[in-house]
């Protein structure tokens, strides 16, 4: 499922990232790539979201979060 | 030890590189005891920060680089960092790494190592690892990476001597570029490209060049092309598409994933984590829950801005009165003193009318400006600025800009010059350009003196409201201009770049940090007051004094003639007299000079309000303020627009555009207002 549909507090594993090459590369170099675990800190529902990459907090635009496909971890 | 003992070769040049918020600035300050600003949002280290310190018999020259994630340069900031590491002949690059997020932080180091840069891995924030009972086998890590590893905790000032020792020990190390195994297919492709590059004369290792070509690195492609190796570029593209067709993967992505694979294997071998790390919400997250809340986010932001301005003007006003009284006293005393020593009238006039009234009129606003800068620095140091960008992202998208553009807009309330420079963190070129172009409409603190002077005379009972409408007008013009440019100028069209931004944890700002930051900015204002404004004031005095046969600052002086020439242009806007034209003309030097000019032309602070009341009505005073707000950016702003856009075309465009908009708006205000009053 796209990351944007996740709720605050839920944890995910990134499976794939859709989108153009530049976009993909930038995300990967920031540490978001398939296999990595992310947690949603805040998803207000209609705008950008905040995710956690271990101790780092990253704000992601709505469009970007829609292109990151994840699998929910129980 | 004295400077004389330091010989060449005993100076070690060191650069600190790393991801944003990895602690570079903190390490920098801990090493140099220096005056570098400790910033909070990504890319705050826009300028090159250098510091020196001595340790043992060596002198260290340290450069703090802007935060970057990789050798791919997305924004100007990142390009600065990358070019510095690549092009400068540094002795050692210290890769400052946030130990709590090793995967991503090591990515940058690995890129350096592949390039053959003499690096030291500095695992920073080691105290947090200890707290969490995470063990790192640094010996093993050194072996696997082939580069020295030290652990530091900059905030606790631990490990710094080890770092210094390590720099000394490794400064003359012989470097072999790191070789990551990219797997059979990719290695085959690398080999092919390498062969085509044989004999190339480049400072980079050939293997590095080959990998970058396969990754499609735009700048490396350009460089290799310029060296006359277009065929290598073609060969790389050919290999890339061959692998994509043959194995069904995207080469760029695959290369990055292999690199991460290498990093993960190192972490597996060297880091022992206690299996369950409790992942609670941090205090920062809890604050974010409120501050970036769907409903509360924007009201909180609006409140903070409102409170900032309210406090700035209330507190600033108190100090302003003191300074005002002081300069009034100074002008009077100087006149008396000059008379007592029998000095010529022109000298007394030069000092009294020229320097003291002119500069004094500007200095009155120093406290207000310092207080405003202090508040903005505080919000930045706390870490709130990047949250403001987050909160505003959606609203900014509506006007065709990313949320990040909001930071330059807020900084513009202080001064447009640093604001325009801060747009460097925006990676998309067209978003950056648009952000720069609309910034001059954000009412900077230099325009505040003009408003304060006029509202103090004409709008005594509702000064705050009138001020607010002017600030709002600036924002509205900026927003509408953005929409207009976006929809009409081809270069600015296209989708807004999406938001990806690291949010630093909230910090309690130190008094020292905020003071330094405020001072760094306030100093610019003082410098301006001391140089440009001072020169402007002297120029005005000279023009207002010649020919000597005329009375000082009267219509028949040079300045009067210039003013009279332009004055008719402002008939429709309601202020067709020469003093206003002169004030606006000199305001281009710096907006504060508008006030200084009126001060000089009307004979100092005392006579000023009486004279202004004679010439202006409340309506024409308002239209004059609108004009002052919008017309032509000051020289410093024009200069920085040119420097940042590197284009006279855009610089001229925005100068002319703002002049036209200023005149049209001032005229509209006056004409429409006249219908009702």
């Amino acid at each position: 499922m796209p990351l944007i549909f996740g709720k605050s507090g839920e944890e995910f594993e990134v499976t794939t990232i859709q989108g153009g090459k530049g976009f993909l590369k930038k995300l990967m170099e920031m540490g978001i790539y398939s296999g990595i675990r992310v947690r949603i800190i805040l998803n207000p529902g209609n705008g950008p979201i905040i995710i956690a990459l271990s101790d780092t907090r990253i704000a992601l635009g709505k469009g970007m979060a829609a292109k990151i496909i994840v699998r929910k971890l129980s | 030890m004295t400077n004389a003992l330091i010989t060449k070769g005993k100076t070690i040049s060191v650069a600190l590189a790393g991801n944003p918020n990895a602690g570079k600035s903190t390490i920098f300050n801990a090493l140099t005891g220096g005056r570098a600003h400790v910033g909070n949002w990504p890319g705050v280290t826009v300028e090159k920060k250098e510091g020196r310190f001595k340790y043992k018999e060596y002198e260290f020259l340290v450069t703090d680089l802007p935060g970057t994630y990789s050798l791919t340069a997305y924004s100007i900031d990142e390009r600065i960092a990358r070019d510095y590491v690549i092009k400068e002949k540094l002795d050692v690059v210290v890769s400052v790494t946030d130990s709590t997020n090793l995967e991503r932080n090591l990515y940058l180091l690995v890129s350096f190592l592949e390039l053959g840069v003499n690096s030291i891995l500095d695992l920073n924030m080691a105290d947090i690892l200890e707290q969490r009972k995470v063990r790192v086998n640094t010996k093993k890590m050194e072996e696997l990476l082939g580069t020295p590893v030290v652990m530091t905790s900059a905030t606790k000032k631990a490990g710094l001597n080890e770092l210094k020792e390590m720099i000394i020990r490794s400064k003359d190390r012989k470097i072999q570029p790191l070789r990551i195994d990219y797997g059979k297919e990719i290695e085959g492709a690398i080999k092919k490209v390498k062969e085509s590059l044989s004999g190339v004369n480049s400072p980079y290792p050939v293997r590095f060049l080959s990998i970058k070509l396969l990754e499609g690195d735009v700048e490396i492609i350009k460089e290799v092309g310029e060296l006359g190796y277009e065929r290598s570029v073609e060969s790389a593209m050919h290999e890339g598409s061959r692998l994509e067709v043959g194995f069904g993967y995207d080469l760029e992505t695959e290369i990055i994933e292999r690199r991460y694979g290498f990093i993960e294997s190192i972490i597996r071998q060297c880091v022992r984590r206690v299996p369950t790390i409790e992942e609670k919400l941090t205090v920062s997250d809890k604050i974010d829950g409120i501050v970036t809340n769907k409903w509360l986010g924007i009201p909180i932001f609006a409140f903070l801005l409102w409170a900032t301005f309210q406090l700035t003007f209330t507190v600033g006003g108190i100090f302003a009165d003191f300074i005002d009284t002081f300069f009034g006293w100074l002008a009077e005393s100087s006149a008396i003193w000059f008379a007592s020593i029998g000095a010529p009238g022109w000298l007394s006039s030069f000092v009294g009318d020229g320097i003291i009234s002119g500069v004094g009129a500007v200095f009155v606003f120093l406290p207000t400006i310092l207080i405003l800068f202090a508040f903005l620095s505080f919000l930045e140091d706390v870490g709130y600025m990047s949250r403001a960008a987050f909160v505003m992202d959606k609203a900014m998208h509506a006007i065709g800009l990313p949320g990040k553009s909001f930071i330059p807009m807020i900084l513009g309330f202080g001064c447009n010059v640093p604001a325009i420079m801060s747009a460097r963190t925006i990676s998309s070129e067209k978003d950056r350009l648009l952000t720069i172009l609309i910034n001059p409409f954000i009412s900077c603190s230099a325009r505040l003196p003009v408003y304060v002077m006029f509202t103090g005379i004409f709008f005594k009972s509702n000064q705050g409201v009138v001020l607010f409408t002017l600030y709002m007008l600036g924002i509205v013009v900026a927003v509408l201009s953005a929409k207009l440019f976006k929809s009409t100028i081809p270069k600015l069209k296209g989708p807004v770049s999406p938001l990806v931004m690291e949010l630093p944890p909230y910090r309690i700002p130190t008094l020292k940090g905020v003071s330094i930051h405020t001072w760094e900015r306030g100093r610019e204002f003082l410098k301006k007051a001391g140089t440009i404004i001072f020169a402007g004031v002297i120029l005005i005095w000279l023009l207002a004094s010649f020919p000597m046969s005329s009375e000082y600052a009267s219509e028949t002086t040079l300045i009067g003639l210039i003013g009279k020439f332009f004055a008719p242009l402002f008939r429709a806007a309601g202020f067709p007299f020469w003093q206003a034209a002169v004030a606006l003309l000199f305001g281009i030097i710096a907006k504060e000079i508008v006030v200084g000019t009126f001060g000089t032309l009307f004979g100092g602070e005392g006579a000023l309000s009486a004279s202004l009341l004679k010439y202006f009505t409340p309506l024409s005073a308002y239209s004059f303020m609108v004009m002052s707000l919008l017309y032509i950016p000051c020289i410093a702003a024009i200069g920085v627009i040119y420097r940042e856009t590197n284009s006279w075309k855009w610089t001229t465009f925005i100068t002319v555009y703002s002049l036209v908009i200023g005149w049209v708006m001032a005229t509209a205000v006056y004409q429409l207002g006249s219908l009702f009053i």
Side-chain angles (χ1 to χ4, degrees):
Chain A
M1 70 181 234
L3 183 61
I4 189 72
F5 295 128
K7 291 188 186 67
S8 307
E10 289 179 343
E11 203 162 338
F12 304 92
E13 188 189 298
V14 176
T15 51
T16 48
I17 300 174
Q18 301 168 341
K21 276 192 180 182
F23 169 80
L24 195 67
K25 197 167 176 186
K26 165 112 204 188
L27 277 186
M28 288 182 83
E29 290 177 343
M30 279 187 85
I32 304 169
Y33 52 94
S34 55
I36 205 89
R37 273 169 58 182
V38 298
R39 200 155 47 94
I40 296 184
I41 297 294
L42 201 83
N43 184 356
N46 61 345
I49 66 171
I50 302 177
I51 61 164
L53 210 64
S54 61
D55 276 21
T56 311
R57 300 290 178 267
I58 294 174
L60 280 180
K62 197 180 167 182
M64 288 201 123
K67 287 179 185 162
I68 300 172
I69 310 301
V70 293
R71 186 171 61 83
K72 196 174 162 188
L73 298 171
S74 47
Chain B
M1 164 145 81
T2 61
N3 275 324
L5 282 175
I6 295 169
T7 50
K8 254 195 168 175
K10 294 253 169 178
T11 304
I12 308 178
S13 55
V14 182
L16 302 179
N19 290 174
N21 304 313
K24 287 183 309 298
S25 295
T26 333
I27 292 266
F28 179 88
N29 287 347
L31 284 176
T32 61
R35 306 207 325 148
H37 160 65
V38 184
N40 256 348
W41 39 277
V44 81
T45 330
V46 169
E47 284 157 1
K48 188 169 141 189
K49 291 248 152 82
E50 284 185 321
R52 282 168 187 278
F53 70 94
K54 284 168 197 156
Y55 180 74
K56 295 203 165 156
E57 70 267 36
Y58 296 97
E59 174 155 43
F60 290 69
L61 176 63
V62 191
T63 311
D64 184 14
L65 296 176
T68 180
Y69 295 107
S70 66
L71 289 177
T72 321
Y74 295 100
S75 66
I76 293 182
D77 262 25
E78 288 171 312
R79 193 163 310 149
I80 293 171
R82 160 189 152 140
D83 286 354
Y84 197 75
V85 168
I86 292 179
K87 306 259 155 81
E88 293 289 311
K89 292 203 166 53
L90 294 158
D91 291 316
V92 179
V93 171
V94 175
S95 177
V96 181
T97 294
D98 172 0
S99 308
T100 60
N101 195 341
L102 271 179
E103 283 85 351
R104 189 186 77 182
N105 278 264
L106 285 180
Y107 188 87
L108 180 66
L109 172 78
V110 164
S111 309
F112 287 154
L113 295 178
E114 281 193 287
L115 179 57
V117 172
N118 186 2
S119 324
I120 292 176
L121 170 58
D122 173 8
L123 294 172
N124 195 23
M125 310 194 192
D127 50 321
I128 299 178
L129 290 188
E130 204 166 304
Q131 257 175 40
R132 295 190 187 159
K133 304 197 164 53
V134 178
R135 287 273 182 76
V136 181
N137 183 345
T138 50
K139 274 276 152 301
K140 180 119 198 196
M141 208 176 241
E142 282 183 347
E143 261 168 48
L144 292 171
L145 286 168
T147 211
V149 179
V150 262
M151 294 187 91
T152 57
S153 170
T155 45
K156 298 210 159 53
K157 298 217 177 356
L160 292 170
N161 280 343
E162 286 85 337
L163 177 60
K164 291 174 195 169
E165 291 283 347
M166 193 61 94
I167 293 172
I168 296 172
R169 248 183 290 148
S170 59
K171 71 182 169 59
D172 297 317
R173 226 159 50 90
K174 282 273 162 291
I175 307 302
Q176 276 297 326
L178 176 71
R179 214 191 138 98
I180 294 173
D181 183 6
Y182 285 100
K184 200 168 146 245
E185 293 93 30
I186 298 177
E187 286 295 339
I190 293 174
K191 198 164 164 249
K192 284 246 171 64
V193 180
K194 248 174 99 175
E195 277 162 11
S196 77
L197 275 168
S198 75
V200 72
N201 182 22
S202 159
Y204 309 117
V206 183
R207 182 179 163 87
F208 174 83
L209 280 181
S210 315
I211 295 169
K212 284 287 151 187
L213 286 180
L214 288 169
E215 271 188 90
D217 186 296
V218 185
E219 302 204 7
I220 296 290
I221 288 177
K222 211 177 112 208
E223 249 172 79
V224 169
E226 277 164 7
L227 289 169
Y229 281 78
E230 283 93 354
R231 64 195 161 88
S232 303
V233 178
E234 277 163 33
S235 151
M237 278 167 69
H238 173 76
E239 288 300 314
S241 51
R242 192 178 60 84
L243 287 179
E244 270 183 64
V245 173
F247 299 93
Y249 55 65
D250 174 43
L251 192 54
E252 266 183 81
T253 320
E254 190 66 20
I255 289 177
I256 300 175
E257 280 185 351
R258 292 281 177 164
R259 229 172 255 148
Y260 272 119
F262 172 77
I263 292 165
E264 277 165 3
S265 90
I266 287 183
I267 293 174
R268 259 199 313 277
Q269 293 176 66
C270 308
V271 180
R272 220 181 63 222
R273 289 186 171 120
V274 177
T276 49
I277 299 169
E278 212 182 332
E279 287 192 347
K280 278 193 304 194
L281 288 182
T282 61
V283 180
S284 252
D285 294 333
K286 285 178 189 151
I287 298 173
D288 274 336
I290 302 164
V291 166
T292 62
N293 179 283
K294 185 160 48 163
W295 308 110
L296 296 175
I298 290 178
I300 288 175
F301 174 63
F303 172 78
L304 284 174
L305 268 194
W306 175 81
T308 300
F309 286 110
Q310 198 64 24
L311 282 168
T312 301
F313 301 138
T314 325
V315 183
I318 301 168
F319 288 102
D321 287 344
F322 283 123
I323 295 181
D324 197 15
T325 317
F326 170 75
F327 275 100
W329 168 84
L330 199 64
E332 253 173 63
S333 321
S334 85
I336 296 169
W337 184 76
F338 276 114
S340 75
I341 60 162
W346 66 265
L347 185 63
S348 175
S349 160
F350 175 67
V351 175
D353 300 328
I355 298 174
I356 297 177
S357 320
V359 174
V362 174
F363 255 84
V364 168
F365 304 100
L366 181 64
T368 313
I369 286 163
L370 283 182
I371 293 167
L372 182 63
F373 282 154
F375 277 114
L376 292 177
S377 305
F378 176 81
L379 289 180
E380 199 173 308
D381 287 359
V382 167
Y384 182 73
M385 285 299 198
S386 53
R387 272 71 185 189
F390 178 88
V391 166
M392 292 306 293
D393 189 62
K394 212 179 151 203
M396 292 297 283
H397 268 261
I399 64 167
L401 281 170
K404 259 191 177 176
S405 296
F406 208 70
I407 294 167
M409 281 178 85
I410 302 169
L411 292 178
F413 287 121
C415 175
N416 300 116
V417 173
I420 288 168
M421 286 172 66
S422 72
R424 288 179 178 189
T425 54
I426 299 167
S427 48
S428 148
E429 200 48 40
K430 73 178 160 42
D431 291 343
R432 194 174 77 89
L433 186 57
L434 189 55
T435 307
I436 291 173
L437 291 180
I438 63 167
N439 201 278
F441 296 121
I442 302 300
S443 189
C444 68
S445 52
R447 277 166 260 190
L448 184 61
V450 185
Y451 312 150
V452 173
M453 178 176 77
F454 278 98
T455 53
I457 296 167
F458 294 96
F459 303 97
K460 271 205 181 88
S461 52
N462 41 14
Q463 211 173 348
V465 180
V466 173
L467 270 177
F468 183 73
T469 60
L470 287 164
Y471 277 98
M472 285 311 293
L473 179 68
I475 296 171
V476 169
V477 170
V479 166
L480 293 181
S481 299
K483 287 215 113 169
L484 180 70
F485 296 165
K486 186 104 188 162
S487 56
T488 53
I489 301 173
K491 205 189 161 190
L492 299 174
K493 280 184 186 166
V496 181
S497 58
L499 174 79
V500 208
M501 180 180 53
E502 201 166 322
L503 300 174
Y506 288 98
R507 288 175 205 160
I508 297 172
T510 58
L511 187 61
K512 195 182 161 203
V514 174
S515 321
I516 288 172
H517 202 175
T518 305
W519 174 240
E520 276 171 358
R521 288 174 172 168
R523 196 176 52 195
E524 290 305 307
F525 176 82
L526 277 179
K527 245 194 234 159
K528 217 163 68 175
T531 54
I532 299 176
I533 297 176
F534 189 73
V537 164
I538 290 176
L539 183 66
I540 295 164
W541 180 83
L542 282 174
L543 290 174
S545 299
F546 288 96
M548 283 297 220
S549 55
S550 308
E551 198 191 325
Y552 176 74
S554 66
E555 280 183 77
T556 49
T557 55
L558 287 176
I559 208 168
L561 297 175
I562 296 171
K564 269 167 126 175
F565 178 76
F566 287 108
L569 285 175
F570 303 112
R571 184 167 307 281
F575 39 89
F577 42 92
W578 62 272
Q579 292 93 334
V582 169
L584 288 174
L585 195 62
F586 285 105
I588 299 172
I589 299 172
K591 298 275 168 124
E592 305 93 322
I593 292 187
V594 171
V595 174
T597 312
F598 277 123
T600 310
L601 296 181
F602 290 134
E605 284 282 318
L608 192 57
S609 47
S611 308
L612 287 177
L613 275 169
K614 218 164 62 199
Y615 285 97
F616 285 95
T617 63
L619 181 61
S620 66
Y622 192 80
S623 80
F624 185 82
M625 286 191 284
V626 169
M627 184 72 188
S628 306
L629 161 67
L630 300 174
Y631 89 109
I632 303 194
C634 70
I635 285 184
I638 294 175
V640 81
I641 292 173
Y642 171 67
R643 214 172 64 205
E644 297 297 307
T645 58
N646 199 17
S647 143
W648 281 119
K649 200 183 82 192
W650 289 114
T651 313
T652 314
F653 165 72
I654 200 59
T655 309
V656 173
Y657 175 84
S658 56
L659 181 62
V660 171
I661 286 287
W663 186 85
V664 168
M665 291 301 290
T667 304
V669 163
Y670 187 70
Q671 295 299 335
L672 288 175
S674 302
L675 296 177
F676 298 102
I677 295 172

